Amino acid sequence: MTDTPPLITATKRGLYCPPGDFYIDPVKPVQTAIVTHAHGDHLREGSVRMFMAAPGIGIAKKRLKDARNVVPMTYGERTTLGPVTVSLHPAGHILGSAQVRLEHDGEVWVVSGDYKRQADPTCAPFEPLECDVFVSETTFGQPHFVWPDTGAVVGNIVRWWNINRERGKNSVLFCYALGKAQRVLAEMLNHTNETVYVHGEIGTLVEVYRLAGIDMVPTQQVTATSAADLKGALVMATPTMSRSSWLRRLGMGARGFCSGWMLLEGESRRRGYDMGFVVSDHADWPALVQTCQESKARRILLMHGRTDRLAAHLVELGLEAGPLETPA
């Protein structure tokens, strides 16, 4: 290894590239930001200039008060920020999600952002990239996290819905409004073409996905429907609505939750749901290991989740790996 200063450092404002003077997914407003995707913990108001992958611009326009300062980049397009060449590449997380590739003085770093390796009909698939240093998330960085086939899980959701309907109940499926909901609605096309009722926050983003050309089952916002019309229906809502007056309008019914955390035994009951369905938009353990190996990086830096467990395993495989040092 050389003593070259790191191309990326962790600061209190977020990941910072000193040579290019820009941040990746900053937590506070900065002059120049590269945003890996439009989830609220990555896309924030206030930065003077923000670069994003073009497929995610429609979402940014819905989530930001003013998106005029957002600069779209096509996947693979190269731009220079100071002496650093930057390009965005599909991360497979949600629509418009991106890995950030940085090249400076003959050295290449890749910051993964959030990513997954499973097939997803709602976004471009993950693109493996080779680099000198790979910065990877580790949200589910423990060996017991191995995802089942998502198509089969969504089939189980449809069967659960039909069983509840036969019993005279509606079914409320809680999932995140951006990415997860649209992925489930798209996968449902392999099992049904019935209308699914959605909370307004989900419905707004479903329309953005439709405008991007993503096919999903028909949807209708619950706000335009009376509770009586929802008998036997499937309703999708965000987890924040689970104890709301909005939910009480729907009457008694079965409640399910869609998340990678549902793989943990008893987790759905602990959270107060009748059923848990394992669908995640993050890489599972095998995919994390595979991706780190495929990067052929001389050094792997890990962030979020159980970095220690994955780092130890990668070291056993002969790779140099450790946590990305964060400020105190």
Side-chain angles (χ1 to χ4, degrees), residues 83-202:
V84 181
T85 300
V86 177
S87 57
L88 303 181
H89 302 262
H93 178 56
I94 64 170
L95 180 65
S97 60
Q99 305 171 78
V100 184
R101 184 185 185 276
L102 306 92
E103 186 170 354
H104 175 60
D105 281 349
E107 186 173 56
V108 175
W109 287 49
V110 171
V111 177
S112 71
D114 291 339
Y115 67 96
K116 71 172 179 290
R117 303 297 300 266
Q118 279 189 314
D120 182 341
T122 68
C123 63
F126 180 90
E127 178 185 335
L129 299 170
E130 294 184 8
C131 55
D132 297 298
V133 180
F134 182 53
V135 181
S136 175
E137 63 130 320
T138 61
T139 304
F140 291 99
Q142 298 185 68
H144 55 271
F145 286 114
V146 180
W147 305 144
D149 176 73
T150 300
V153 174
V154 173
N156 289 335
I157 291 173
V158 173
R159 281 188 284 276
W160 171 72
W161 169 18
N162 288 330
I163 290 169
N164 292 330
R165 177 162 48 193
E166 291 171 2
R167 296 173 176 173
K169 297 180 178 181
N170 59 31
S171 305
V172 183
L173 182 66
F174 295 95
C175 57
Y176 298 122
L178 174 56
K180 188 75 60 67
Q182 293 77 25
R183 184 182 182 194
V184 170
L185 290 167
E187 291 279 5
M188 278 186 177
L189 282 173
N190 294 317
H191 305 277
T192 182
N193 200 37
E194 290 189 74
T195 296
V196 174
Y197 293 85
V198 295
H199 179 259
E201 185 179 353
I202 293 176

Side-chain angles (χ1 to χ4, degrees), residues 241-271:
M241 304 302 296
S242 61
R243 291 177 174 82
S244 67
S245 58
W246 177 90
L247 183 63
R248 288 193 290 273
R249 285 181 47 216
L250 305 185
M252 297 301 292
R255 306 292 182 253
F257 187 50
C258 230
S259 169
W261 299 110
M262 294 300 98
L263 191 66
L264 299 175
E265 185 176 357
E267 186 68 12
S268 59
R269 291 292 180 180
R270 280 193 291 274
R271 297 191 185 207

Side-chain angles (χ1 to χ4, degrees), residues 4-11 15-24 32 34 49 79-86 102-109:
T4 305
L7 196 50
I8 289 289
T9 60
T11 74
L15 298 182
Y16 179 59
C17 176
D21 191 23
F22 61 84
Y23 290 80
I24 298 173
T32 301
I34 297 175
R49 180 175 58 162
T79 191
T80 54
L81 296 174
V84 181
T85 300
V86 177
L102 306 92
E103 186 170 354
H104 175 60
D105 281 349
E107 186 173 56
V108 175
W109 287 49

Side-chain angles (χ1 to χ4, degrees), residues 13 21-23 26 28-33 46-51 69:
R13 287 187 179 270
D21 191 23
F22 61 84
Y23 290 80
K28 296 180 180 179
V30 297
Q31 181 70 27
T32 301
S47 292
V48 176
R49 180 175 58 162
M50 293 188 284
F51 292 87
N69 61 335

